[in-house]
Amino acid sequence: QVQLVESGGGLVQAGGSLRLSCAYSRNIFSSINAMGWYRQAPGKQRELVADITSFGNRNYADSVKGRFTISRDNAKNTVYLQMDSLKPEDTAVYYCNARTINDFHVTTDYWGQGTQVTVSS
């Protein structure tokens, strides 16, 4: 099992910044292939914001490129999402995601509880 603990959400003015943190743990039978951040706004589907693989490759949604940065601190078992130049349309519940693969090549997705990000205009 993988456990995810998120923090860093809150209320911020447009143009401001927030940093989300996701502390993770796993059992010895699974390895984390990739981690990412998703978000879901009211009335909209959940969408990928950014992810990072175990090799350090990063992907971003077009809407956040140049504004958001995903990073990983292996020593602290934590993934971060630095959000700069925030816009009201960034308002959503943000979820941390971890994708694992076990010795039988079975992949599993794990999700955090979500943290609310609200950007005021």
Side-chain angles (χ1 to χ4, degrees):
Q1 297 285 345
V2 174
Q3 293 181 318
L4 305 172
V5 180
E6 301 160 323
S7 63
L11 175 64
V12 66
Q13 297 178 355
S17 298
L18 284 173
R19 187 179 71 167
L20 306 183
S21 300
C22 177
Y24 60 89
S25 63
R26 62 175 178 85
N27 61 39
I28 62 174
F29 303 106
S30 299
S31 61
I32 299 177
N33 179 255
M35 298 194 68
W37 290 94
Y38 291 70
R39 68 186 181 187
Q40 186 168 21
K44 302 186 69 175
Q45 66 180 27
R46 185 175 299 186
E47 64 176 353
L48 173 69
V49 177
D51 62 16
I52 183 169
T53 71
S54 60
F55 298 101
N57 301 115
R58 296 172 173 86
N59 297 289
Y60 297 94
D62 289 339
S63 60
V64 307
K65 285 182 178 178
R67 299 189 299 119
F68 291 9
T69 304
I70 188 169
S71 61
R72 181 174 181 175
D73 187 334
N74 291 327
K76 297 181 178 179
N77 290 337
T78 302
V79 171
Y80 303 96
L81 184 67
Q82 178 67 43
M83 304 184 294
D84 298 320
S85 301
L86 282 162
K87 305 174 181 179
E89 49 262 46
D90 294 318
T91 296
V93 178
Y94 285 70
Y95 297 91
C96 184
N97 165 265
R99 174 164 290 181
T100 66
I101 183 169
N102 65 16
D103 293 339
F104 301 99
H105 298 170
V106 177
T107 59
T108 305
D109 283 310
Y110 297 88
W111 299 92
Q113 292 292 312
T115 183
Q116 177 70 47
V117 172
T118 303
V119 184
S120 64
S121 59

